[in-house]
């Protein structure tokens, strides 16, 4: 009997600890005054979905590749394909020239062949080396190769648009969002105006999207 009581007390204590920890994680999320505008940004899913998820990402960032592999597939299946949420991606250029080259290429693909944008985006993250990700891997040749495999774009035109920085203005617009929403690390994920402390917390993502359905 004593053992049973002790066990019950332990279970209760554990439950309290879980609730406290969960709330702490929630408390670290930041409720923003507004949600980032997705105008002019690539958008996956139903434009009129009740919830907007915005990822601020950098092609050179290993954590963004990991988010794309660990969180994105489930998010897509549960909420984007079902019309409950849509996803937008904003370029962040925290890793210098390689980030810039990749973002210029992505904006060019988005403008010229928008239906291929997400295939290109995913294929480019796939190219990011698993190990030595600081090593230079984003080159114009690599971007052209990935676009050649995933889009219907004229790759000579893509090369010209990267070299000529045709979409520099779009990168500046993205950077305006980065500054406005005080993005300090990538990936940063904002759902309905809530900046997640932990973008890998899928249960938190789920609950925010579900709350946004009514
Ligand atoms: Ca953009």
């Amino acid at each position: 009997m004593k053992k049973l009581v002790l066990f019950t007390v332990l279970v209760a204590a554990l439950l309290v600890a879980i609730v406290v920890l969960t709330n702490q994680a929630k408390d670290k999320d930041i409720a923003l005054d507004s949600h980032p505008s997705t105008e002019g940004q690539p958008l996956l899913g139903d434009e009129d979905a009740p919830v907007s998820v915005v990822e601020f990402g950098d092609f050179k960032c290993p954590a963004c590749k990991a988010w794309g592999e660990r969180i994105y597939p489930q998010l897509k299946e549960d909420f984007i394909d079902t019309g409950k949420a849509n996803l937008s991606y904003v370029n962040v250029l925290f890793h210098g020239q390689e980030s810039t080259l990749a973002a210029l290429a992505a904006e060019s693909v988005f403008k010229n062949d928008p239906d291929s944008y997400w295939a290109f985006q995913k294929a480019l993250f796939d190219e990011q080396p698993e190990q030595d990700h600081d090593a230079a891997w984003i080159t114009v040749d690599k971007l052209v190769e990935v676009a050649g495999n995933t889009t219907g774009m004229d790759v000579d035109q893509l090369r010209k648009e990267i070299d000529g920085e045709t979409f520099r203005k779009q990168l500046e617009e993205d950077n305006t969002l980065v500054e406005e929403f005080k993005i300090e690390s990538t990936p940063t994920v904002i759902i309905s105006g809530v900046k997640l402390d932990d973008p890998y917390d899928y249960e938190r993502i789920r609950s925010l999207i579900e709350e946004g359905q009514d």
Side-chain angles (χ1 to χ4, degrees), residues 26-183:
K26 258 192 218 170
D27 290 346
K28 282 191 194 157
D29 291 344
I30 298 172
L32 303 164
D33 294 336
S34 63
H35 186 71
S37 164
T38 57
E39 203 187 322
Q41 303 295 354
L43 187 139
L44 184 70
D46 182 349
E47 211 181 331
D48 298 319
V51 173
S52 158
V53 179
V54 178
E55 178 195 1
F56 287 81
D58 183 331
F59 287 103
K60 198 47 191 163
C61 142
C64 300
K65 177 184 171 82
W67 193 86
E69 289 169 357
R70 282 165 45 192
I71 301 298
Y72 166 83
Q74 196 67 45
L75 175 72
K76 182 171 183 296
E77 186 182 325
D78 292 347
F79 299 113
I80 297 171
D81 293 348
T82 55
K84 292 179 175 170
N86 56 43
L87 174 69
S88 292
Y89 182 87
V90 179
N91 291 298
V92 182
L93 311 176
F94 284 168
H95 291 84
Q97 183 60 11
E98 282 180 88
S99 301
T100 303
L101 281 180
L104 284 168
E107 294 287 354
S108 174
V109 167
F110 177 52
K111 198 73 168 188
N112 290 288
D113 184 11
D115 290 345
S116 299
Y117 172 81
W118 294 96
F120 172 81
Q121 206 248 29
K122 291 294 154 208
L124 191 52
F125 273 117
D126 286 346
E127 291 287 331
Q128 186 188 107
E130 296 286 343
Q131 300 294 325
D132 188 13
H133 39 70
D134 281 338
W137 64 275
I138 301 176
T139 60
V140 177
D141 285 342
K142 174 56 77 183
L143 294 164
V144 164
E145 177 197 314
V146 173
N149 291 334
T150 53
T151 78
M153 238 198 115
D154 173 350
V155 291
D156 292 333
Q157 186 190 344
L158 176 62
R159 193 180 284 277
K160 235 184 261 170
E161 291 187 351
I162 299 169
D163 288 342
E165 302 197 345
T166 305
F167 295 96
R168 169 61 67 179
K169 184 170 151 280
Q170 278 70 10
L171 300 200
E172 283 163 9
E173 285 167 6
D174 286 7
N175 194 51
T176 301
L177 290 173
V178 168
E179 286 176 0
E180 184 183 349
F181 290 91
K182 300 184 171 57
I183 306 304

